Amino acid sequence: MQRFTYEAAPMRVVFGDGTLAALGAEVERLGLRRAVLVVTPSQAARGAALAAQLGPLAAGVIPLAAMHTPVEVTEQALALLRAMGGDGLVAVGGGSAIGLSKALALRSGLKQIAVPTTYAGSEMTPILGQTEAGRKLALRSAAVLPQVVIYDVALTLGLPPALSATSGLNAMAHAVEALYAPDANPVTSLMAEEAIRALAAALPAVVAEPGDRAARAEALQGAWLAGACLGAVTVSLHHKLCHVLGGSFGLPHAETHAAVLPWAVQFNAPAAPAAMARIARALGQADAVEGLFALSRRLGAPASLAALGLAESDLDRAAEIATAAPYPNPRPVERAAIRALLGAALRGR
Ligand code: NAD
């Protein structure tokens, strides 16, 4: 008999096409009167338009969110939040906007509404990764979990095909690692398998036709379920490697997940046959590893870490950081084997 502990995240999820129209009602439902919008610099205009939509319920926009949540940016944003007299946070964007909102919630105790526009899944997790002095440290706290998540399919229609592909594979990675997590349980495994199925079915259609609303809806549902998996279980080697490559080598988040995923799964495959069978079934392929390589190729995702800026001379240090502290993984993690894995991912197939 399998023993497990499962904690469901208590947030409210509003899902649909055009659901952003409900933002004002959701802000009021949380009792907020001076909500502050948190976006990346490239989404500043969208933030301003939403502030206008909220009218007197909005206190301003903080368009400072950056990849990997640098602590200096959070401190600057916190000063702005206080100056604006904000009493709640509305993050609109990908994992970067949601990460800054989580960092602000941790420091201020304010409630959050997350409106994701990528497939990264941060909105569903009590995890916050912050970067300081070249190191990215992750924490888990209920204090960073948004109270409300609004998924609006319409907001994802403008996500460029390349980012849709890599962000979708980022989501897929959460679901894949959930299937061999040490604390996997029947609920997360069901969510994971359905996430992999939905993402594998929808992403090729999304990349071929970014305006395909049915495919976008299926991809976003897959991303939601994958994010819920990430929030509920302990992830392993794949996430550790991406965390190191992003935090210590500045590699871009979603692209790195896309380039590493098949290699990390190939490494773990001999030690996790039951998970591999479920991944293969969800992909509709005979083999999990080959299925992931094929999907990645079909989506035109980056095929090597070299293409993302990693150098051969970085491999020793990356392997050293990735194996410095122990963490759960189906196959034992040794420095030489991890260096070989990273070398293969650096060169690509
Ligand atoms: P991102 O949020 O950095 O977005 C990438 C770029 O795309 C940004 O310039 C953004 O403005 C733009 N963008 C976002 N949505 C768009 C849309 N619909 N149309 C056009 N442009 C759009 O990238 P991401 O991959 O979503 O998030 C990466 C960050 O999230 C990393 O820092 C990562 O560590 C974090 N993350 C955290 C968790 C967690 O659980 N804590 C989970 C996943 C990712």
Side-chain angles (χ1 to χ4, degrees), residues 40 42-43 68 94-96 117-118 120 122 125 127 136 155 158 163 253:
T40 54
S42 71
Q43 303 290 314
H68 306 308
S96 296
T117 63
T118 70
S122 177
T125 82
I127 304 166
K136 188 167 176 181
L155 294 179
L163 186 51
H253 178 83

Side-chain angles (χ1 to χ4, degrees), residues 157-195:
L157 298 177
L159 190 64
L163 186 51
S164 300
T166 54
S167 190
L169 290 170
N170 178 195
M172 173 101 45
H174 308 330
V176 162
E177 289 227 296
L179 284 169
Y180 55 64
D183 43 4
N185 63 72
V187 175
T188 53
S189 295
L190 271 178
M191 292 196 293
E193 222 180 295
E194 171 56 12

Side-chain angles (χ1 to χ4, degrees), residues 67 104 288:
M67 188 82 74
L104 292 171

Side-chain angles (χ1 to χ4, degrees), residues 19-32 50 53-55 57 90 113 150:
T19 39
L20 193 58
L23 179 59
E26 293 297 329
V27 166
E28 284 183 325
R29 202 177 159 278
L30 280 185
L32 309 181
L50 278 173
Q53 178 188 322
L54 287 178
L57 291 174
V90 177
I113 298 177
I150 300 178

Side-chain angles (χ1 to χ4, degrees), residues 41-283:
S42 71
Q43 303 290 314
R46 179 179 271 170
L50 278 173
Q53 178 188 322
L54 287 178
L57 291 174
V61 183
I62 300 181
L64 296 178
M67 188 82 74
H68 306 308
T69 325
V71 169
E72 316 84 76
V73 172
T74 300
E75 279 160 6
Q76 201 186 341
L78 188 61
L80 278 175
L81 175 65
R82 292 199 169 125
M84 289 170 181
D87 68 355
L89 298 155
V90 177
V92 185
S96 296
I98 294 169
L100 176 56
S101 173
K102 285 174 158 182
L104 292 171
L106 184 70
R107 289 160 175 80
S108 66
L110 295 183
K111 290 182 177 167
Q112 306 173 75
I113 298 177
V115 186
T117 63
T118 70
Y119 304 132
S122 177
E123 67 281 357
M124 293 307 295
T125 82
I127 304 166
L128 169 63
Q130 305 184 95
T131 309
E132 191 167 20
R135 281 226 160 195
K136 188 167 176 181
L137 291 177
L139 60 85
R140 238 178 208 274
S141 163
V144 305
L145 201 63
Q147 278 65 35
V148 180
V149 179
I150 300 178
Y151 285 105
D152 187 344
V153 172
L155 294 179
T156 65
L157 298 177
L159 190 64
L163 186 51
S164 300
T166 54
S167 190
L169 290 170
N170 178 195
M172 173 101 45
H174 308 330
V176 162
E177 289 227 296
L179 284 169
Y180 55 64
D183 43 4
N185 63 72
V187 175
T188 53
S189 295
L190 271 178
M191 292 196 293
E193 222 180 295
E194 171 56 12
I196 295 168
R197 188 209 60 74
L199 290 162
L203 292 175
V206 158
V207 168
E209 175 46 59
D212 181 338
R213 297 187 108 90
R216 284 290 190 185
E218 190 171 29
L220 195 57
Q221 282 197 26
W224 164 39
L225 295 172
C229 289
L230 177 66
V233 301
T234 308
V235 284
S236 304
L237 176 68
H238 168 82
H239 282 78
K240 178 69 182 183
L241 294 177
C242 294
H243 184 90
V244 169
L245 294 170
S248 300
F249 296 88
L251 263 59
H253 178 83
E255 292 84 343
T256 303
H257 271 270
V260 170
L261 182 62
W263 298 102
V265 175
Q266 185 175 59
F267 179 89
N268 277 332
M276 294 304 131
R278 291 186 84 161
I279 295 165
R281 184 167 73 191
L283 290 170

